[in-house]
Amino acid sequence: MNDVKLVLQEQLNNIGIIRRISKYEEKATYQSHYLGLVWQFLNPAIQIGIYYLVFGLGVNQGKSVDGVPFIIWMLIGITAWFFISSSILGASNSIYKQVGMVSKMKFPVSILPSVNISSNFVSYRSMMLLLLIAMFLGGVTPSLYWLQYFYYFICMIAFLFSFGILNSTITVLIRDYHIMLQSIIRLLFYLSGPIWNIEAMGQFAGKDLILRIIQLNPIYYVIEGFRDTFLSRQWFWERGSQTIFFWLVIVILLILGSHLHMKFRARFVDFI
């Protein structure tokens, strides 16, 4: 637990550095493009259009889901998914990409996954604005359930950080891990429910078992939590067993990731 305490303390003590580096990375990524940071919004918007044509008008045939238009239902899930997937992959590669710079400067390596997560907030805020406009136009009105958005947002950040500190360490030790993680993310796209209603799958042998396994997916928990919030379906404590399992996974990931990070970070440069 001392490793966890030290890693968390390093995040709190270096919040200013995290913000400054993340802003620099945002500008550096798109500085050679004519539209600059507009691509952080334009790129996901194009993907959303494609997904809506394929899954909304094609597979779902324009039918509503949970009493709202498919585009709104999908936007709630896809907004969270874009932020989660980009943060997982970015955090995984964060130490490997920047460890040379860190070795010459005085700040802890453990903040690099947080830097990457922070740099993705610009795109996330733009997508959230688009989602709010779509819900307003679609007749989705605010309710008390919207207050639990903050809970699920904390859940999302806790998962991304705990998983990021683990992934970033393993990526330095085993370079092939990042490539494998990219494939896993592609699979999770279809197993986390951002674009199709998993609970409405047709009946087949073993469906209930498969559904229960999918519901243990932390990303599924977060995405469905945001839908529970914005569509006023239920409170997070009504997902009792899923909530307990989610936080158990977070604790395990954080302990394991912090331990591996502290054990090997003095030799990161040697591994690279």
Side-chain angles (χ1 to χ4, degrees):
M1 292 301 293
N2 288 334
D3 293 334
V4 174
K5 182 180 178 181
L6 180 59
V7 167
L8 293 178
Q9 190 173 20
E10 287 177 345
Q11 312 308 307
L12 295 174
N13 292 342
N14 293 277
I15 290 178
I17 295 177
I18 292 173
R19 293 181 61 186
R20 288 194 295 272
I21 297 179
S22 64
K23 288 182 179 179
Y24 170 78
E25 287 194 348
E26 290 169 9
K27 296 178 180 179
T29 301
Y30 296 99
Q31 66 177 354
S32 61
H33 299 74
Y34 288 113
L35 296 180
L37 293 177
V38 174
W39 280 110
Q40 289 192 325
F41 171 79
L42 190 59
N43 188 44
I46 293 172
Q47 294 182 60
I48 287 172
I50 295 172
Y51 292 142
Y52 178 68
L53 289 175
V54 175
F55 294 95
L57 300 181
V59 177
N60 201 55
Q61 298 180 350
K63 298 177 183 178
S64 62
V65 182
D66 292 335
V68 299
F70 180 84
I71 184 65
I72 295 177
W73 183 90
M74 185 188 72
L75 271 174
I76 297 173
I78 208 72
T79 297
W81 171 259
F82 281 146
F83 180 68
I84 290 171
S85 60
S86 61
S87 295
I88 288 176
L89 292 176
S92 171
N93 212 30
S94 59
I95 294 179
Y96 181 87
K97 289 174 59 178
Q98 303 291 348
V99 72
M101 177 189 71
V102 173
S103 63
K104 302 174 184 177
M105 303 176 67
K106 293 183 178 180
F107 62 82
V109 185
S110 68
I111 70 170
L112 291 178
S114 296
V115 168
N116 181 267
I117 295 171
S118 179
S119 66
N120 288 320
F121 273 124
V122 172
S123 178
Y124 178 72
R125 289 195 298 266
S126 299
M127 293 299 299
M128 281 300 300
L129 178 60
L130 176 63
L131 171 60
L132 291 174
I133 293 173
M135 288 193 294
F136 174 76
L137 295 176
V140 178
T141 56
S143 69
L144 283 176
Y145 287 96
W146 285 32
L147 293 175
Q148 67 181 352
Y149 168 80
F150 300 102
Y151 165 76
Y152 282 111
F153 182 79
I154 292 172
C155 288
M156 181 169 64
I157 298 302
F159 169 71
L160 290 175
F161 175 74
S162 58
F163 199 33
I165 198 71
L166 175 63
N167 288 336
S168 60
T169 302
I170 297 178
T171 297
V172 173
L173 304 178
I174 308 172
R175 186 56 186 158
D176 292 346
Y177 178 78
H178 182 71
I179 299 175
M180 182 186 70
L181 189 62
Q182 291 175 323
S183 299
I184 293 174
I185 290 297
R186 295 190 190 100
L187 176 62
L188 287 176
F189 177 69
Y190 297 99
L191 297 179
S192 302
I195 57 172
W196 64 292
N197 191 354
I198 294 176
E199 296 183 2
M201 291 187 298
Q203 292 296 327
F204 57 88
K207 174 190 173 182
D208 292 339
L209 176 60
I210 293 175
L211 184 57
R212 283 197 293 269
I213 293 174
I214 290 176
Q215 288 174 339
L216 297 178
N217 175 2
I219 302 177
Y220 177 87
Y221 175 81
V222 171
I223 289 176
E224 285 301 300
F226 283 130
R227 288 191 176 124
D228 288 343
T229 298
F230 291 120
L231 302 181
S232 304
R233 299 192 306 193
Q234 62 181 340
W235 296 101
F236 70 87
W237 56 78
E238 296 180 59
R239 293 182 177 269
S241 58
Q242 293 180 40
T243 298
I244 293 172
F245 184 81
F246 174 83
W247 286 108
L248 180 62
V249 170
I250 296 302
V251 171
I252 292 173
L253 289 175
L254 187 57
I255 292 175
L256 181 59
S258 299
H259 176 70
L260 288 177
H261 179 84
M262 297 306 298
K263 180 178 181 180
F264 290 104
R265 78 172 180 180
R267 294 186 289 157
F268 278 164
V269 176
D270 296 333
F271 281 108
I272 295 176

